[in-house]
Amino acid sequence: MRLKNVPGAREAIDKSDCAVTEPELWKGKWQELFPSAQPLHMEIGMGKGQFLMEMASRHPEVNYLGLEKYSSVLVRAVQKLEMKRQPNLFLVRADAQYLTEYFAQGEVNRIYLNFSDPWPKDRHAHRRLTSRQFLERYRVLLAPGGWIEFKTDNTGLFDFSLEELEQAGWELLYFTRNLHADPLGEGNVMTEYEERFSGRGNPICKLAARPPAAV
Ligand code: SAH
């Protein structure tokens, strides 16, 4: 995501009642944000929020959170959500590195990672959202039966992710290297990046995986 400083972004987010800026205060009680307690799904690195806006309207029986690190990006999603409020969607300014400070064990039912930053240099591998370091955080906060879904057009990052999942003992539920030409793509909701990259002819890879059962 190209980062432009957006003047007033922090202030606009701070005063919006569909955004959360102190996620540590909600640890263990995220359901209290929503009108009713329902399965909790979240996208990490949600960008401008197109995917979640559509998911939240298609699935009123699910509560959604969108996490985004940068105010300059998050503010775009906040503006969109303010125009078309959805009671089952909140946006959170948070760095996924500190997930276990924001969520209690087993508090989340599904995690979506869409077009996560590739961090191409080896020495930055631990920053990739599908690295073993992040998988361990997801394992802690996912409820029994929960899983992650990951989409990217970056085949290097996809291969890396498959290796990390195997190393960490996760169960691969399915994967495809061409989602848009695969029956798995039925009902697929496109993200902003997915539209852009598939528009350039790049095939979209997708996987779903579940953490090892607690010992
Ligand atoms: N999911 C969107 C955006 C993909 S770009 C889409 O598919 O269109 C990746 C996004 O992840 C960027 O907006 C970036 O700011 C965000 N991001 C990167 N690292 C993050 C982290 N550690 N915590 C939260 N968000 C992060």
Side-chain angles (χ1 to χ4, degrees):
M1 183 70 60
R2 194 165 356 122
L3 283 181
K4 280 191 298 233
N5 183 37
V6 177
R10 283 191 83 87
E11 295 71 18
I13 294 165
D14 286 344
K15 69 175 207 286
S16 169
D17 56 6
C18 45
V20 171
T21 53
E22 293 181 298
E24 61 281 2
L25 302 181
W26 292 91
K27 184 174 183 175
K29 42 189 181 190
W30 285 97
Q31 294 289 355
E32 292 173 20
L33 263 180
F34 298 94
S36 50
Q38 317 189 101
L40 186 63
H41 296 185
M42 71 181 179
E43 184 182 7
I44 301 179
M46 122 211 97
K48 297 179 188 165
Q50 170 174 312
F51 171 79
L52 282 181
M53 294 282 291
E54 178 61 24
M55 292 296 279
S57 81
R58 283 195 196 184
H59 299 286
E61 74 289 359
V62 174
N63 288 336
Y64 288 95
L65 292 176
L67 270 63
E68 172 54 52
K69 184 169 163 178
Y70 295 108
S71 294
S72 54
V73 183
L74 178 63
V75 71
R76 302 296 178 216
V78 166
Q79 285 162 344
K80 266 196 266 174
L81 188 54
E82 292 210 326
M83 303 280 286
K84 185 172 176 280
R85 290 304 303 267
Q86 307 209 52
N88 59 334
L89 173 58
F90 283 86
L91 306 173
V92 185
R93 186 173 59 216
D95 184 337
Q97 206 183 323
Y98 307 109
L99 276 179
T100 50
E101 293 172 29
Y102 306 147
F103 294 90
Q105 265 188 14
E107 196 170 8
V108 178
N109 300 92
R110 193 175 307 167
I111 295 173
Y112 292 103
L113 305 169
N114 292 321
F115 298 82
S116 310
D117 297 336
W119 291 104
K121 294 195 175 102
D122 280 349
R123 67 188 159 86
H124 290 147
H126 65 284
R127 297 188 188 171
R128 298 175 193 149
L129 292 186
T130 51
S131 64
R132 60 197 69 188
Q133 290 85 351
F134 276 96
L135 293 179
E136 178 52 22
R137 298 176 184 121
Y138 307 151
R139 188 187 63 77
V140 172
L141 53 95
L142 278 172
W147 68 79
I148 65 168
E149 294 187 17
F150 172 52
K151 291 196 279 192
T152 184
D153 67 320
N154 186 314
T155 49
L157 180 63
F158 194 66
D159 292 340
F160 166 85
S161 307
L162 288 169
E163 284 167 25
E164 292 293 277
L165 288 163
E166 190 180 349
Q167 271 284 329
W170 285 52
E171 181 190 351
L172 194 58
L173 299 171
Y174 61 79
F175 78 102
T176 171
R177 291 181 184 274
N178 192 352
L179 181 66
H180 297 177
D182 192 296
L184 285 169
E186 200 183 318
N188 178 49
V189 172
M190 300 253 264
T191 79
E192 271 110 347
Y193 273 46
E194 185 171 359
E195 283 183 352
R196 192 184 309 165
F197 294 129
S198 64
R200 291 181 196 162
N202 301 2
I204 305 302
C205 305
K206 181 177 181 186
L207 64 80
R210 174 161 74 197
V215 278

